[in-house]
């Protein structure tokens, strides 16, 4: 019967040691979970800030594209007006050159038949 107190003491020590180990493990897991939750909260805040930045950047970019689009429309209209004016000027110059050729031909007088292609 003297072994019974030793066995019960050994069982008590094993149980209390196991309880201490399990308690410490639970405490460490709780601490790791809290730290992980805090880190995830910080990461979520960073993602929220990045989302806000991207939204601002997208709005700014959309505004810039609208401005560039308006500028391109103005440039195209300006080029169309320039092209129309240039066409009018070339037409006027061509008409004037035709008149100058006719006047020069009148001044030079009649041409022999084989030189008609010259003028």
């Amino acid at each position: 019967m003297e072994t019974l107190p030793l066995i019960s003491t050994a069982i008590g020590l094993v149980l209390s040691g196991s309880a201490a180990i399990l308690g410490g493990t639970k405490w460490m897991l709780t601490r790791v979970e809290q730290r992980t939750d805090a880190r995830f909260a910080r990461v979520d805040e960073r993602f929220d800030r990045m989302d806000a930045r991207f939204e601002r950047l997208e709005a700014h970019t959309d505004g810039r594209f609208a401005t560039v689009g308006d500028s391109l429309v103005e440039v195209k209209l300006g080029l169309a007006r320039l092209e129309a004016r240039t066409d009018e000027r070339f037409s006027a110059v061509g008409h004037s050159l035709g008149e100058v050729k006719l006047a020069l031909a009148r001044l030079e007088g009649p041409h022999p038949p084989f030189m008609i292609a010259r003028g």
Side-chain angles (χ1 to χ4, degrees), residues 10-31:
I11 291 173
L13 285 174
V14 167
L15 287 176
S16 63
S18 297
I21 290 172
L22 287 175
T25 304
K26 182 180 182 243
W27 174 80
M28 284 190 318
L29 287 175
T30 303
R31 187 166 178 241

Side-chain angles (χ1 to χ4, degrees), residues 57-115:
L57 180 64
E58 185 178 8
H60 179 73
T61 304
D62 289 344
R64 295 287 270 190
F65 274 120
T67 303
V68 168
D70 293 343
S71 297
L72 285 176
V73 167
E74 290 176 13
V75 167
K76 285 180 181 179
L77 289 174
L79 283 175
R81 286 191 298 263
L82 178 66
E83 184 178 357
R85 283 196 323 247
T86 306
D87 288 344
E88 290 173 8
R89 288 182 182 169
F90 275 131
S91 148
V93 167
H95 184 68
S96 297
L97 282 177
E99 289 176 4
V100 168
K101 282 183 179 181
L102 283 174
L104 228 118
R106 282 189 211 124
L107 286 175
E108 288 179 351
H111 294 290
F114 295 112
M115 298 194 63

Side-chain angles (χ1 to χ4, degrees), residues 2-20:
E2 293 178 16
T3 59
L4 191 59
L6 287 175
I7 292 175
S8 63
T9 304
I11 291 173
L13 285 174
V14 167
L15 287 176
S16 63
S18 297

